[in-house]
Every structure is written in C-alpha cells, then in structure tokens.
Amino acid sequence: MSDNVVSRRVMWAYILTGLAVFALMFVLGVFMRAEQAAWITFDAGLFYSIMTLHGAGMIVAMALCGMGGLWYIMDREQPMNPGIAWGAFAAMVIGALCVVVAALVGHFAAGWTFLYPLPFVGATWAPWATGAFLVGIALVVVGWAAYCTQLLGCVLSKYGGLRGATGWDLVFHHDAFVASGRPEPPPQAFAALVVAVDGLFAVAGGMPAGIASLAHFVDPSVAIDPLWIKNLTYEFGHTFANLTIYMAIAYVYVALPRYANREWHTSPVLAIAWWGTLLFVATAYFHHLYMDFAQPNGLQYVGEIASYLAAFPPAVVTIFGGALLVYRSKMRWSLASIFLYAGLVGWLVGGVGALLDATVPINVSLHNTLWVPAHFHTYLLQGVFLFVLGWVFAMLEARSAIVTPLVVRWIAGLGIFGGAALLLLGWYVAGSQGVPRRYAIQPAPGPEISSWATIGALILAVGLLVTLAEALRLARAVREVRA
Amino acid sequence: MAAVAIIGVMVAIARSTTGNPEAQATVTTVGYRLRRGWLWALAACAVAAFAVSLPNFPYARPSALEGRHYPVIAFQYGFEMPKTIPLNQPVVFDVTSKDVNHGFGIYAPDGKLFAQVQAMPDYVNHLALTFKVPGHYLVRCLEYCGIAHYAMQGAFDVR
Ligand SMILES: [Cu+2]
C-alpha cells in the first residue's frame, strides 16, 4: 500500500510538472501566433527566444507527462527504485529551468535545434546564455538516460531478458510458449521496451553532439563538421520527440479497455509491430536532412522507407486495435475515454501529414514550411496531449466515481477539438502555400491565416480551462472520498 | 480530405457503441480479417508512393551537373548570387554558406515554393534546375539562422 502511494507520488510529480510546463509553453505559443497575425508586436529577438523556449519546453513537457505514467504502470509490473525516478525528474526539471533562464534572461535564441555553428556565430545573446542552454539540455538528456536505463532494467528483469521482453518465443515458438504457461508481456511493456531502447539510442546521438558543442563553447578552436552534428541533432531530437507518443500510448493500452469493457492483449502481431517501431523510429530521422544534398544519397532512401514503415505498426496494429476494441463494445463514454479515443484519431491524421512530408519530392515544397509544425502539432496536441489528459481523467474518474455531465463534455470537446482544428488548419493551409516556418514576420498569406489560427488557439484555451476546472472538481471529490 | 475520411470512420466506429453490443471475440474474428486487407492495401500504397517518388528525387545525377554553374553564398542575413538566370537552360546552383546553416528557397513568380536546398558551411550542395517560366524569382531563407532569419531574402530574374 505504501509503495503504491510512493509510485503515485512519482507519477503525479512528473505529470503535473509536465502539464504546468505545457500551460506556460501554450501561452507563449499563443503569443507567437498573435504576433505573426500582427495583433501584437514584439521585437524579433524576443520572438525567437520564445520560439526556442516553446520548442524545447513543449517536448520536455510532453516527455514528463508520458514518463510519469509509464513509470507508474511498469512499476506495478515490477517495482522500481523511486530514488532513480526522483533523480531523473530533478535533472530534467533543473535542466528545463536552465533553458528558461537562458531564453528569457539570457535572450538565447538559436532554436531548440541550436544547429551548429548557430549558437556561436552572429549571436545576439551573451555567451553565458549559450552555456546555460547547453548545460540545460545536457541535464535533460542525463535525466532521460537514467529514466530509460531504469525502465530497460525493469522490463528485462521482469520478462526474462531481451528474448522474453521482445516476445521472441511468443512469435517464433508460439505453441511451446503458450504451453509453458509463462506470462507474455502486456502491450504497455512493449511500449516501455521500445521507449527505453530507442531512448538510449537517442542519447547515444545527443550526447556526442552536446559534448562537441560544449567543447567548442569552451575552446572555439575545436572545429565540428556541420553535417555530422546536424545528423546527430536530428537523430536525438526526432527520436526523443517521437518517443513521447510511444510513451503515452501505454495510457491507451491500460485505460481504454477499462472503458470498453474489453481486453487488450498481446498477440504475436502486436509484438512484431513493436519490433518494427523499435527499428523505424530510430531510422526515420533522416527525413530531416532531405534538403541536405551533401548527405550520402543512400540515407535519403533509408529516410523515406523508414518513415513509411514507421506508420505501419500504429496504423495496422495500435490504432486499428483501438478502433476494434471500441467497435460495438459496451463503451462508457466519459471525458477520459473521449480523450483517449480522440488521441488515436489525431495520431492518424498527423501521421498522414507526416507521410506526405516524408516523401522526398513533396518535401521539396514543404520542408521548413508551416506544414512541419502543422503535422507535429497534430500528433502532439491531438495525440500525446490527449492521451495524457485521458489518463489523468481516467485516474480521477475511477477514484471520484463522478461522470462529467454531457454539457461540460460538449463544451470541453468543442473547445479542444474545434479550437485545435482551426489552429492546426492554419499551419496546414499556410504550409501548403509555401509560407516558411520560424518567421517572426510572415509573407502573405501568412498573417491572415495566423489570425484565424490565433482565434483557434483562444477557443482551444477556453476548452482547456473548462477541462482544468472539471479536473479540479473531480480531484476535490477524490480527496473527499479519501477523507 | 484524408483527414475528413479518417475522422468520419473513427466517429462512425465510436457511434457503433450506442447500438447493440457484441462480444469481443465476434468483433475480432471479422476485425483480424479486415486488418489483413488493410495491411495489404497500405503496403500497396506505400510501394506505389515510393515507386512514383523515386524518379522525382531532386538529387542531381552527375550527368545533370553539366549545366552552367552559378555560385550561391548564403550569410547572416542575405545571399550572394547572380542577378539573372537563363530561361529553358539546365543550370546548377552551387550553394554554400559563409557562417551558419541557411536554406536556399526559390519562390516562383506565382508565389509558389519552386525548389530548395540547404546552404551549409564547409559543404557545397548542387541544385540542378531548368527554369521554364520567365519572371522575377524571390529567394527566402528556409533554415532558422538567427534573429533576422525572417528578413533574409534574395532575388533573381529568369530571362
Ligand atoms: Cu535563415
């Protein structure tokens, strides 16, 4: 019982911190859109400091939101040392604070990608801000590495090493495996395995890039190959960002069946799908370098093939499985189940946008246009974030025994889905018109579209506030139930 | 359009829960058969998309580099580049950067993004093109390069 209290505390610390960071970054995001819509004006330096902070902060926010629950879920399978989880949490939070200070106090504005040699050449900010940013990112990576290592240890020791955790015998010696009576890893354990392994793979790319950058910071005579570090930057950035959704999918695996009154069990197909994810999440990042013609040609083909293949496991197994789970079930629709289910839709829609952009000839006219933020906001805001909200409400609903009234559900739903649709559509439309991303002042038709998008963001904000109020009401009821 | 179709199907599935519920085993038997079809359909789409995209990759083969070469040097915040480019002749832009990463994005007279390549220090990227439409082409930076990134422009005429 007391262990359960400890692991809940770990989970809520991660998730609530993640949501708080999300809220701050959301507000900054609305300011950026309003500035692009010319509703308000601030100077480009501030815009780009905010952009840098928003990008780095949102990814850390989504990561924290996923890490907490996945830790809690896997801790129930096999207890883990909470000390390590707290250490990882502390490193990431301190790292995030360094980034905040670097951006807001130090005016660091090299983008979350801080593509070498940008942080050092033509900088409009103090060198200490570059240092603070690099140290901040390094701390985030250290925390993440510790978390992934612990998670990997948990999965491997519980299910009998890599062979057990990957479901090897389940796939290749199916009858013998079933006869042996050994428990198969539940779906969320596959998510944990892939997050841990690919997470460490991301670290393996991010660490050399970070160390090289810090070395150059200390001694500018240290020269870095710009193409080499660009590869590593995206290997880390893409993989880390992409894994946020593979963490949050554990919430769907665990919570959605409760609402559908059905079971989501492991099948050989599910195991194979996760092997695919393991491989393709790690190799898809080459699509960030399509417009680097100096990149060896073979890698461009790898990028397109891996990006396509990465879509198969979610489309054919997880999202399809989720739809099948819900189809003609005795579904209890509540805020939690609506969010979880809608997240699957957002993931699919964002995936289509991503696939188009991952096709090299199409990338020529979409690369670094607003199409890019369009698709990743789709699966962060309407995928990862909804899975997190779904999980939070699943916990609150189970313990408060309150079902949100239909009216509130409609207001929250219309605000969140409607507002987000308008916000996202702005990026898709502008991107397809070739409006570049990361422009403090956009060429036409950017500003006009940004106006609509800002309205969408404000509607979304109303939906989020209603949802927050409802969450607080449920949380209060939980406390009363306990008292 | 794809988005509307996806949302439509998913909403229909969600609405199915208001009708008579069915046992999970019944649903999965049909579902798994459907899944196999869905897998093959997706695989066919992926193979077709890859096959169609392949000949349209923008990476210049050595033979395509025989056109006239024009150097482009990007810098914070502008482009050193020729003012005019010939019409209907194969040309190659040799694109590099003096300082940080930039993007060399060519916008056609109708405002559409026509072609692009990254401009990177220490490397030269070869962008092979043939301009078939005369007029004034705008160049915009398409890689974040510092706080005046949004204002980084160039231009040339195709005649
Ligand atoms: Cu630029």
Side-chain angles (χ1 to χ4, degrees):
Chain A
M1 185 61 210
S2 66
D3 279 355
N4 194 18
V5 170
V6 171
S7 49
R8 267 174 196 279
R9 202 167 288 158
V10 171
M11 175 179 76
W12 286 117
Y14 272 87
I15 291 182
L16 293 179
T17 308
L19 288 176
V21 176
F22 170 87
L24 284 174
M25 298 304 139
F26 177 82
V27 171
L28 293 181
V30 177
F31 274 121
M32 276 194 284
R33 292 307 269 146
E35 194 274 347
Q36 287 172 325
W39 292 12
I40 51 174
T41 41
F42 40 80
D43 72 279
L46 181 60
F47 178 89
Y48 286 119
S49 294
I50 289 177
M51 185 192 79
T52 301
L53 179 57
H54 175 87
M58 270 305 187
I59 290 301
V60 171
M62 289 299 101
L64 287 171
C65 283
M67 291 163 80
L70 185 59
W71 193 89
Y72 171 78
I73 288 168
M74 293 315 294
D75 182 64
R76 287 195 309 186
E77 300 285 327
Q78 165 102 334
M80 286 183 274
N81 180 353
I84 294 176
W86 285 122
F89 176 72
M92 290 185 75
V93 170
I94 295 169
L97 285 175
C98 290
V99 172
V100 170
V101 171
L104 291 188
V105 183
H107 306 293
F108 181 77
W112 75 261
T113 47
F114 59 100
L115 268 188
Y116 175 86
L118 179 55
F120 311 107
V121 176
T124 44
W125 50 88
W128 73 259
T130 303
F133 181 84
L134 290 175
V135 168
I137 295 290
L139 280 170
V140 168
V141 175
V142 166
W144 170 247
Y147 175 90
C148 289
T149 308
Q150 187 183 32
L151 196 62
L152 186 62
C154 166
V155 176
L156 293 185
S157 70
K158 166 83 185 184
Y159 302 106
L162 210 51
R163 187 170 174 152
T166 53
W168 184 266
D169 290 326
L170 178 73
V171 173
F172 290 114
H173 310 102
H174 188 255
D175 296 337
F177 182 82
V178 173
S180 76
R182 269 162 53 207
E184 71 230 5
Q188 59 269 28
F190 287 92
L193 176 73
V194 167
V195 166
V197 173
D198 279 347
L200 289 171
F201 176 70
V203 171
M207 268 299 166
I211 291 168
S213 296
L214 277 169
H216 183 89
F217 175 69
V218 174
D219 176 5
S221 72
V222 175
I224 303 175
D225 184 312
L227 185 60
W228 173 80
I229 198 163
K230 203 180 211 175
N231 269 280
L232 292 184
T233 301
Y234 286 119
E235 189 273 322
F236 169 73
H238 173 84
T239 311
F240 183 52
N242 201 183
L243 286 177
T244 59
I245 204 158
Y246 292 101
M247 287 195 271
I249 195 63
Y251 296 157
V252 183
Y253 281 147
V254 174
L256 196 62
R258 291 184 201 157
Y259 286 92
N261 261 311
R262 284 179 175 173
E263 275 174 44
W264 199 325
H265 31 203
T266 301
S267 64
V269 173
L270 184 131
I272 294 169
W274 277 102
W275 300 351
T277 298
L278 183 74
L279 208 62
F280 305 133
V281 165
T283 41
Y285 83 88
F286 290 119
H287 61 216
H288 286 269
L289 290 107
Y290 282 161
M291 293 301 114
D292 285 285
F293 292 8
Q295 177 90 330
N297 251 345
L299 297 178
Q300 312 290 21
Y301 298 99
V302 172
E304 184 166 308
I305 294 169
S307 304
Y308 282 0
L309 290 176
F312 277 76
V316 178
V317 179
T318 296
I319 299 173
F320 188 90
L324 207 57
L325 190 87
V326 168
Y327 183 69
R328 305 203 78 163
S329 68
K330 277 187 240 164
M331 188 78 180
R332 281 188 295 129
W333 289 108
S334 68
L335 270 185
S337 55
I338 291 171
F339 286 144
L340 292 169
Y341 186 76
L344 295 173
V345 184
W347 192 4
L348 210 51
V349 173
V352 174
L355 282 177
L356 287 173
D357 195 26
T359 305
V360 176
I362 300 178
N363 186 257
V364 171
S365 44
L366 294 181
H367 188 79
N368 280 349
T369 68
L370 288 171
W371 190 272
V372 183
H375 83 72
F376 72 68
H377 278 92
T378 308
Y379 53 68
L380 287 174
L381 194 57
Q382 295 293 282
V384 181
F385 179 65
L386 290 186
F387 293 155
V388 173
L389 279 189
W391 179 252
V392 168
F393 272 92
M395 305 294 276
L396 291 174
E397 286 167 7
R399 290 154 64 85
S400 69
I402 291 182
V403 177
T404 302
L406 201 61
V407 182
V408 180
R409 271 192 257 163
W410 269 100
I411 297 172
L414 278 179
I416 292 181
F417 306 138
L422 193 54
L423 171 65
L424 295 170
L425 217 55
W427 281 309
Y428 281 112
V429 172
S432 67
Q433 302 293 310
V435 179
R437 73 187 288 204
R438 293 176 174 146
Y439 267 34
I441 297 170
Q442 298 172 325
E448 196 187 329
I449 296 173
S450 297
S451 284
W452 286 103
T454 310
I455 293 170
L458 294 175
I459 297 172
L460 171 60
V462 172
L464 290 175
L465 286 174
V466 171
T467 308
L468 174 66
E470 181 64 5
L472 292 175
R473 187 173 78 95
L474 265 59
R476 206 174 310 128
V478 170
R479 214 163 294 148
E480 277 162 23
V481 168
R482 217 186 281 150
Chain B
M1 227 158 44
V4 174
I6 290 169
I7 294 168
V9 170
M10 295 299 274
V11 167
I13 291 170
R15 286 189 57 88
S16 76
T17 59
T18 56
N20 281 343
E22 270 187 49
Q24 187 170 12
T26 324
V27 173
T28 45
T29 320
V30 183
Y32 286 164
R33 215 175 305 143
L34 208 65
R35 182 170 71 181
R36 194 164 305 155
W38 170 230
L39 169 66
W40 286 114
L42 266 188
C45 287
V47 171
F50 186 71
V52 172
S53 75
L54 213 49
N56 295 305
F57 273 36
Y59 314 118
R61 290 168 198 84
S63 63
L65 294 177
E66 280 163 13
R68 187 159 165 206
H69 285 247
Y70 292 88
V72 174
I73 302 167
F75 58 90
Q76 285 168 326
Y77 296 95
F79 297 93
E80 277 174 27
M81 57 175 302
K83 291 270 169 286
T84 50
I85 300 293
L87 184 67
N88 290 324
Q89 276 176 39
V91 297
V92 180
F93 291 106
D94 301 329
V95 182
T96 189
S97 165
K98 232 181 228 176
D99 38 50
V100 302
N101 283 275
H102 300 278
F104 177 62
I106 302 173
Y107 284 76
D110 64 0
K112 294 246 160 62
L113 180 51
F114 175 70
Q116 65 166 306
V117 71
Q118 292 267 307
M120 187 190 271
D122 302 353
Y123 285 88
V124 179
N125 287 326
H126 304 287
L127 178 63
L129 295 169
T130 301
F131 291 91
K132 298 200 168 105
V133 178
H136 190 66
Y137 285 70
L138 208 60
V139 173
R140 289 200 177 97
C141 180
L142 286 182
E143 184 61 72
Y144 180 62
C145 57
I147 62 164
H149 164 59
Y150 67 94
M152 179 170 162
Q153 281 191 357
F156 58 85
D157 288 304
V158 170
R159 300 196 267 256

